[in-house]
Amino acid sequence: QVQLVQSGAEVKKPGTSVRVACKTFGYTFTNYDINWVRQAPGQGLEWMGWMNPDNGHTGYAQKFQGRVVMTRDTSIGTAYMDLSSLGSEDTAVYYCARRQWRGGVRLDPWGQGTLVTVSS
Amino acid sequence: EIVLTQSPGTLSLSPGERATLSCRASQSIRNNHLTWYQQKPGQAPRLLIYGASTRATGIPDRFSGSGSGTEFTLTISRLEPEDFAVYYCQRYDNSPTGDTFGQGTKLEIK
């Protein structure tokens, strides 16, 4: 069964950085891009970027460029999202999701989400 | 940058009724790369429809998607109690701006 399992909740101070991990199960990690999406409390979904686990290539939404880095460890089938210079506006649930292409592009499945709280 | 506008913002209906949710794009979406997700409180989004009209595995046939270009629709033919949730449309584009989500439609019990 394909699953994405994310790391636990984080509380961070403004100006610091956070790393969220996304461990994959049930498929060949390097065959599918991993995307990151976040959701602020009571708000909609916001796409952050993608990473190709095979070659490490990435693409980031303009809003996050310079602040986000997406990496991976292929030996353990895990993707990482690092976000720096945190502010209160970065308080959100962060999701990873696998990008599928065959038959039509979509994000499926999704991780369970990781709550990141930025507070002094 | 393509903007997706979903309407209505909130839809109040009763179980058994038909729901029609709209997603309008500010520019034409190439290759019908339009996807619909369902999200319930405290849960991750769940894939419903991709390629504008293809139901994902395990999705009941009361859910259907249609449309092309700039106008897309998600229809739920007969609402079940578990269908009350927030629905998002999303478009994929292989460009620097990347993916875009609509702001969501909340489907609530009347």
Side-chain angles (χ1 to χ4, degrees), chain B residues 3 10-11 18 20-21 47 51-52 55 57 69 75 82 87 95 105:
Chain B
V3 176
T10 301
L11 185 57
R18 180 185 186 90
T20 303
L21 286 67
L47 174 68
R55 262 190 311 277
T57 301
T75 302
E82 62 267 25
Y87 292 83
S95 70
T105 289

Side-chain angles (χ1 to χ4, degrees), chain A residues 42-86:
Chain A
Q43 302 300 308
L45 302 171
E46 182 176 32
W47 182 81
M48 299 181 69
W50 61 270
M51 180 202 60
N52 182 320
D54 186 36
N55 54 29
H57 290 177
T58 56
Y60 304 138
Q62 190 168 10
K63 174 178 180 176
F64 300 101
Q65 285 186 7
R67 266 204 322 138
V68 71
V69 178
M70 297 176 187
T71 58
R72 86 289 191 209
D73 184 338
T74 57
S75 68
I76 57 172
T78 299
Y80 302 97
M81 189 281 298
D82 293 297
L83 187 62
S84 60
S85 302
L86 293 170

